[in-house]
């Protein structure tokens, strides 16, 4: 690394506080009662239950979600045996990855002990503290003995990631690479350089999957590992071949797979012609591979190449699997991580690369999503779907192989539970998804050519929440879907309508639209043209005439313009005086709803009452009990300003119209969000807990507060959702993501089902 990067790395580790991890409480400790429950005397109840039944530790402690990352510092990255203390930054980093990617709490433990048996004894004694052990950066061959004995002694998973994590990703790469090259694993010839812990684990797993031992040749620093070679350790000797060859160059003839886990530049460009047709070249030495990819392309353009580096395609990176393998193992209560679980992880990873890349992956590629092929045979480490595929596969394999103590009864429910690690909106949206899934509806998408829409529609079909109708040019939609690698069935599952070409459908709608807007100064011929060129109008008309059950419009251009077109066609419900907009922001510890964030600049007291009641009804659809706070610069009558009096009057109207709704005000925002302040100010408050619906005196305050919180707390926006429209129609903001479109679709379908 250059000096600037080194300095930046040191600052990263030192500032604003040393290290990369911390411990945070998961329970509230704000009162004397809280402390009594958390420690003495309440903690004794949990201790007694665990003493009676040790399995209760999974219920009453964090053990079931706690992994120890343990090393003795004898093989740290490419730095060698730098010792336990010097390895701590790496182990902290591993702990951070567990938390970041899979929500697993992890503690790093550096043991200053190089004697294998003493190390084993130390780790084995830690079993009561953790749900699993991740061994890390322990040199070979001691790592084999250490892992084997710990697995025998401990009744929790023990997993040496340097071996098995690498093996799982390599096996997935080999699985897909051979698929593209038209070869079978049972038939290929493989040459490995390295012969170390990771290499042998790769070979063992590939044998488990069908590779034949007689087709494997291993080379190390002394050359070919041949039968009878003096000084060969027993682990490596398992792969010794009866051969007279002694050098790497001699054993490359006809090789289908080169697997390098050794040192830079050991594979010479002139040797590449020895490889068989359409070879796989996995040059995984880091940071400098056994051969650079450009040299492979130059000499063997028919090869598929993978490295361990981030700056080349097909990076073999352990973070693709280890957090999610542990997630599945912990959730199933596995006593070990066995071969069946590893193979299940391999197949899940390989399968994920064969479907379309996610929106997150596409963003990392500058908006151009990779498609399964020679430069994309394994997923990217930041693909958010990894946990959704690997963890259930591992948990299922644990159950089928008989090592799961807490079998998962409902894998659909488990998968939905995992979505909280992928989509922050998952828990909030789950009731609406269930409602939509119970009766999928026809949803028309105005911007059918938009890539965000196409990605969303793929998810909508996968989630079975709607039957999509895409508006746009058929050729453009088909080409974009193909270029994005989407699996959309355009002949059956998806309907494509082109307002400018499909006269049989849109021709009759021209006159109807002209009648709707004729009194607004738009002549019939202009209305007809508007029908054909404005997809928002076309979508709204399909909804209005019953050819769709819900409509999703906007996402490009001015939000208000799209809404006005929707209002012209669909209109407001006759049950309300106005239409309002409800927006939600998901922050780390809460979901807060704001109304009205988009439409009514200065609502009256009656309109504030109406929007609050409508918003509360929508919040109940999320499975949440609404608690509304009417916010103001004043608290409970200490100001006679017009806005304060308006909020007081709104409270009176709400209580008269819906006496069962938890609502109070007018109040300061801190009182709404901090119950202790609220109870001190008004002991008789009607709110039983923190408010989750924040009602503002005007649009400025609502929109500003919503966006400030979203930006300051790294909040995730859901909505806006329209309240009071005559039919289910939603207007997307320009910043909406594909997942945001999916969420709004679920809300619209749920409304159509309501």
């Amino acid at each position: 690394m250059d000096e600037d990067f080194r300095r930046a790395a040191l600052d990263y580790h030192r500032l604003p506080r040393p290290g990369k991890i911390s411990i945070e409480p998961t329970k509230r400790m704000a009162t004397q009662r809280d402390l009594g429950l958390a420690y003495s005397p309440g903690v004794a109840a949990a201790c007694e239950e665990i003493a009676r039944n040790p399995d209760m530790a999974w219920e009453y402690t964090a053990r079931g979600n706690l992994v120890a990352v343990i090393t003795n510092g004898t093989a740290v990255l490419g730095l060698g045996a730098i010792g336990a203390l010097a390895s701590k930054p790496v182990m902290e980093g591993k702990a951070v990855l567990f938390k970041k990617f899979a929500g697993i709490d992890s503690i790093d433990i550096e043991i200053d002990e190089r004697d294998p048996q003493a190390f084993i004894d130390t780790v084995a004694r830690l079993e009561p503290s953790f749900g699993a052990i991740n061994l890390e950066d322990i040199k070979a061959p001691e790592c084999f003995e250490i892992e084997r004995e710990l697995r025998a002694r401990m009744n929790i998973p023990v997993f040496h990631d340097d071996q098995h994590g690498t093996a799982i990703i390599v096996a997935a790469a080999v699985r897909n690479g051979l698929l593209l090259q038209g070869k079978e694993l049972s038939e290929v010839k493989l040459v490995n350089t390295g012969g170390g812990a990771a290499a042998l684990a790769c070979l063992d797993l590939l044998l488990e999957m069908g590779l034949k031992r007689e087709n494997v040749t291993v080379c190390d620093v002394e050359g070919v590992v041949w039968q009878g070679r003096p000084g060969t350790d027993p682990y490596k000797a398992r792969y010794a071949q009866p051969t007279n060859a002694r050098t790497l160059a001699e054993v490359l003839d006809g090789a289908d797979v080169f697997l390098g886990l050794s040192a830079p530049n050991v594979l010479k460009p002139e040797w590449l012609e020895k490889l068989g047709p359409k070879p796989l070249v996995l040059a995984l030495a880091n940071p400098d591979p056994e051969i650079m990819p450009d040299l492979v392309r130059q000499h063997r353009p028919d090869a598929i190449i993978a490295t361990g580096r981030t700056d080349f395609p097909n990076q073999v990176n352990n973070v693709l699997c280890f957090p999610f393998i542990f997630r599945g193992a912990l959730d199933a209560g596995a006593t070990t991580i066995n071969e069946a679980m590893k193979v299940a992880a391999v197949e899940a990873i390989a399968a994920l690369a064969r479907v379309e890349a996610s929106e997150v992956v596409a963003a990392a590629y500058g908006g151009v999503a990779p498609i399964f092929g020679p430069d994309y045979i394994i997923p990217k480490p930041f693909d958010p779907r990894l946990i959704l595929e690997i963890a259930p596969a591992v948990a299922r394999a644990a159950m089928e192989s008989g090592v799961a103590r807490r079998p998962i009864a409902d894998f659909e429910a488990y998968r939905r539970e995992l979505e909280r690690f992928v989509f922050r909106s998952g828990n909030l949206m789950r009731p609406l998804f269930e409602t939509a899934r119970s009766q999928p509806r026809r949803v028309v998408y105005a911007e059918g050519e938009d890539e965000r829409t196409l990605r969303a529609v793929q998810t909508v079909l996968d989630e079975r929440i709607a039957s999509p109708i895409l508006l746009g040019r058929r050729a453009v939609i088909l080409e974009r879907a193909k270029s994005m690698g989407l699996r959309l069935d355009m002949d059956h599952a998806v309907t494509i309508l082109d307002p400018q070409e499909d006269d049989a459908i849109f021709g009759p709608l021209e006159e109807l639209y002209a009648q709707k807007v004729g009194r607004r100064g738009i002549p019939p011929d202009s209305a007809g043209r508007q029908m054909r060129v404005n997809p928002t109008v076309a979508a709204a008309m399909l909804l209005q005439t019953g050819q769709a059950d819900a409509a999703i419009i906007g996402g490009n251009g001015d939000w208000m313009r799209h809404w006005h077109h929707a209002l012209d066609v669909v209109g407001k419900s006759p049950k309300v005086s106005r239409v309002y907009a409800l927006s939600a922001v998901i922050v780390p510890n809460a979901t807060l709803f704001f109304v009205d964030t988009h439409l009514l600049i200065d609502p009256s007291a009656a309109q504030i009452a109406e929007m609050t009641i409508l918003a509360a009804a929508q919040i109940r659809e999320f499975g949440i009990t609404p608690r509304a706070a009417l916010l103001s610069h004043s608290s409970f009558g200490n100001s006679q300003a017009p806005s304060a009096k308006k909020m007081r009057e709104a409270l009176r109207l709400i209580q008269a119209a819906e006496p069962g709704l938890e609502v109070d005000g007018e109040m300061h925002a801190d009182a709404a969000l901090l119950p202790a302040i609220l109870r001190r100010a008004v002991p008789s408050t009607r709110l039983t807990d923190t408010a989750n619906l924040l009602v503002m005196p005007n649009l400025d305050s609502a929109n500003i507060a919503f966006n400030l919180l979203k930006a300051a707390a790294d909040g995730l926006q859901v909505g806006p959702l329209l309240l009071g429209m005559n039919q289910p129609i939603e207007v997307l903001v320009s910043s909406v993501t594909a997942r945001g479109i999916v969420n709004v679709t679920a809300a619209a379908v749920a409304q159509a089902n309501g």
Side-chain angles (χ1 to χ4, degrees):
M1 66 185 80
D2 61 35
E3 187 56 34
D4 285 344
F5 188 82
R6 178 182 177 82
R7 195 178 306 114
L10 292 174
D11 286 344
Y12 177 88
H13 284 80
R14 185 175 65 246
L15 303 172
R17 54 188 289 190
K20 297 190 288 285
I21 62 174
S22 67
I23 294 176
E24 302 290 340
T26 60
K27 303 294 192 298
R28 187 175 69 176
M29 295 186 189
T31 67
Q32 188 67 32
R33 177 177 171 77
D34 293 339
L35 293 177
L37 293 170
Y39 199 55
S40 180
V43 71
C47 294
E48 290 167 347
E49 290 298 313
I50 295 169
R52 277 192 287 268
N53 180 1
D55 284 346
M56 288 295 100
W58 305 102
E59 298 291 329
Y60 296 123
T61 76
R63 188 187 183 208
N65 194 50
L66 190 60
V67 171
V69 178
I70 302 181
T71 189
N72 62 2
T74 54
V76 182
L77 299 177
L79 304 174
I82 61 175
L85 182 59
S87 74
K88 188 171 178 63
V90 180
M91 301 308 116
E92 282 190 359
K94 193 70 177 283
V96 168
L97 295 178
F98 271 114
K99 188 67 173 182
K100 170 67 176 176
F101 287 100
I104 294 172
D105 295 319
S106 181
I107 294 175
D108 61 292
I109 299 176
E110 295 75 32
I111 299 175
D112 192 10
E113 180 56 73
R114 298 197 178 195
D115 176 73
Q117 191 57 52
F119 182 86
I120 290 167
D121 292 340
T122 301
V123 175
R125 294 185 181 106
L126 297 174
E127 180 170 349
S129 297
F130 299 99
I133 303 294
N134 183 113
L135 298 176
E136 193 77 13
D137 290 354
I138 302 169
K139 72 182 182 71
E142 289 93 329
C143 62
F144 302 121
E145 175 190 349
I146 289 169
E147 185 187 41
R148 185 181 66 250
E149 186 165 341
L150 285 173
R151 290 182 67 179
R153 289 177 58 174
M154 303 180 79
N155 202 34
I156 58 175
V158 178
F159 186 84
H160 187 204
D161 186 45
D162 299 320
Q163 296 180 56
H164 308 300
T166 301
I168 288 165
I169 308 306
V170 164
V174 169
R175 172 71 86 205
N176 279 343
L178 292 180
L179 177 66
L180 289 169
Q181 302 293 49
K183 300 180 181 182
E184 293 292 332
L185 183 59
S186 61
E187 300 171 357
V188 301
K189 175 182 177 181
L190 183 148
V191 174
N192 163 248
T193 62
L200 295 179
C202 291
L203 298 178
D204 290 347
L205 185 55
L206 289 170
L207 257 61
E208 181 78 18
M209 295 172 59
L211 179 66
K212 294 181 178 177
R213 190 182 297 270
E214 60 266 28
N215 292 342
V216 177
T217 303
V218 175
C219 300
D220 60 15
V221 293
E222 298 177 20
V224 175
V225 178
W226 48 275
Q227 284 185 0
R229 192 182 78 171
T232 303
D233 70 63
Y235 305 101
K236 201 179 298 182
R238 293 181 292 119
Y239 288 97
Q241 292 284 15
T243 178
N244 293 322
R246 296 295 183 263
T247 67
L248 174 61
E250 294 176 79
V251 297
L252 287 172
D253 289 324
D256 299 285
V257 181
F258 171 82
L259 173 59
L261 287 151
S262 52
N265 305 316
V266 300
L267 181 60
K268 306 303 180 187
E270 57 268 25
W271 298 346
L272 290 170
E273 64 183 20
K274 295 174 176 287
L275 301 177
K278 297 184 177 180
L280 301 184
V281 177
L282 289 84
L284 306 181
N286 248 336
D288 299 316
E290 286 80 1
I291 187 168
M292 294 299 289
D294 56 339
L295 289 175
V296 179
R297 293 192 187 95
Q298 179 182 339
H299 292 271
R300 290 301 301 265
D302 61 336
I304 292 177
I305 313 149
T307 72
R309 290 172 49 147
T310 60
D311 52 346
F312 294 111
N314 300 325
Q315 183 197 14
V316 173
N317 189 329
N318 292 12
V319 78
L320 274 169
C321 71
F322 75 80
F324 318 118
I325 290 172
F326 277 90
R327 181 76 275 160
L330 289 169
D331 291 341
T335 58
T336 186
I337 295 175
N338 57 26
E339 295 305 302
M341 296 160 73
K342 296 175 198 173
V343 172
V346 171
E347 300 297 354
I349 293 166
L352 183 57
R354 297 194 293 267
V355 300
E356 74 284 349
S358 71
E359 183 180 28
V360 175
V361 174
Y365 274 79
V368 180
I371 299 175
F372 180 59
D375 286 339
Y376 188 67
I377 60 174
I378 45 179
K380 302 298 288 183
F382 41 78
D383 192 319
R385 300 167 300 175
L386 285 163
I387 192 171
L388 301 179
E389 302 302 325
I390 299 174
V394 169
R396 190 183 298 276
M399 292 165 55
E400 292 173 351
S401 60
V403 298
R405 288 177 296 193
R406 298 188 303 281
I408 293 170
D410 185 341
F411 271 89
E412 280 296 318
Y414 176 52
R415 185 182 173 88
R416 291 194 293 273
E417 184 67 23
L418 290 173
E419 287 182 351
R420 73 185 190 276
F421 301 116
V422 180
F423 308 113
R424 286 192 285 168
S425 59
N427 284 338
L428 173 67
M429 295 300 302
R430 186 176 301 166
L432 295 188
F433 273 78
E434 294 297 336
T435 301
R437 203 175 284 118
S438 68
Q439 189 177 354
R441 297 290 192 137
R442 299 166 300 166
V443 178
V444 58
Y445 297 85
E447 301 294 338
E449 297 178 9
D450 191 302
E451 289 190 2
R452 295 170 298 177
T453 299
L454 293 172
R455 288 191 192 284
V457 164
Q458 181 68 74
T459 303
V460 163
L461 290 173
D462 291 343
E463 295 278 0
R464 306 185 307 279
I465 62 174
S467 297
I469 303 169
L470 296 174
L471 298 190
R473 295 164 292 179
R474 183 175 184 84
V476 172
I477 291 173
L478 292 176
E479 177 57 33
R480 287 187 180 167
K482 180 181 178 181
S483 69
M484 294 164 66
L486 300 178
R487 298 164 283 114
L488 297 174
D489 181 355
M490 297 299 189
D491 294 322
H492 301 95
V494 179
T495 301
I496 300 176
L497 298 178
D498 186 343
Q500 299 195 47
E501 298 291 337
D502 293 327
D503 293 330
I505 292 175
F506 293 99
L509 300 183
E510 292 184 20
E511 183 177 351
L512 289 175
Y513 180 64
Q515 292 173 3
K516 283 184 171 293
V517 297
R519 294 280 183 175
R520 301 188 183 177
I522 302 176
D525 57 340
S526 296
R529 285 194 300 273
Q530 182 89 305
M531 250 298 312
R532 298 300 187 121
V533 302
N534 190 325
T536 288
V537 172
M541 286 300 298
L542 289 174
L543 173 64
Q544 211 276 329
T545 56
Q547 297 178 74
D549 302 305
I552 310 297
I553 62 177
N556 294 304
D558 181 63
W559 189 91
M560 288 296 295
R561 179 174 57 83
H562 291 292
W563 177 74
H564 279 299
H565 285 308
L567 190 65
D568 286 344
V569 174
V570 174
K572 70 175 182 63
S573 167
K575 299 177 182 179
V576 301
S577 66
R578 295 289 301 257
V579 176
Y580 310 96
L582 174 70
S583 297
V585 60
I586 301 171
V587 294
N589 296 315
T591 297
L592 297 175
F593 296 88
F594 292 75
V595 68
D596 170 20
T597 52
H598 283 72
L599 290 173
L600 193 54
I601 293 175
D602 189 14
S604 66
Q607 289 165 339
I608 287 173
E610 183 177 56
M611 73 170 71
T612 302
I613 292 169
L614 290 172
Q618 177 62 67
I619 292 170
R620 291 189 188 99
E621 295 299 312
F622 289 103
I624 297 172
T625 299
R627 294 185 297 275
L630 308 184
L631 301 185
S632 174
H633 70 280
S634 70
S635 280
F636 302 101
N638 64 11
S639 170
Q640 295 305 310
S643 64
K645 291 196 290 186
K646 179 169 67 174
M647 301 309 275
R648 288 198 289 274
E649 174 63 12
L651 177 64
R652 185 188 66 78
L653 295 172
I654 294 168
Q655 291 172 334
E658 191 169 336
L661 176 63
E662 282 192 48
V663 58
D664 213 336
E666 84 281 17
M667 69 175 69
H668 289 162
D670 58 354
L673 300 179
L674 297 172
I677 294 178
L678 180 60
R679 285 193 294 270
R680 186 166 61 247
V682 183
S684 61
T685 179
R686 299 171 182 85
L687 298 180
T688 59
D689 203 344
T690 303
N692 53 28
L693 172 57
L694 305 180
V695 186
M696 310 288 178
N698 55 49
L699 186 145
D700 278 345
S701 55
N703 194 277
I704 290 169
F706 172 76
N707 283 296
L708 273 176
L709 180 63
K710 183 175 68 171
D714 189 27
L716 177 69
Q717 176 174 345
V718 176
L721 302 177
L722 295 177
L723 306 175
M725 292 295 288
N726 202 32
Q727 289 178 282
I729 188 167
E730 301 293 351
V731 185
L732 304 173
V733 294
S734 59
S735 61
V736 71
T737 63
R739 189 66 193 184
I741 297 174
V742 174
N743 287 340
V744 170
T745 300
V749 174
Q751 184 182 349
N753 288 340

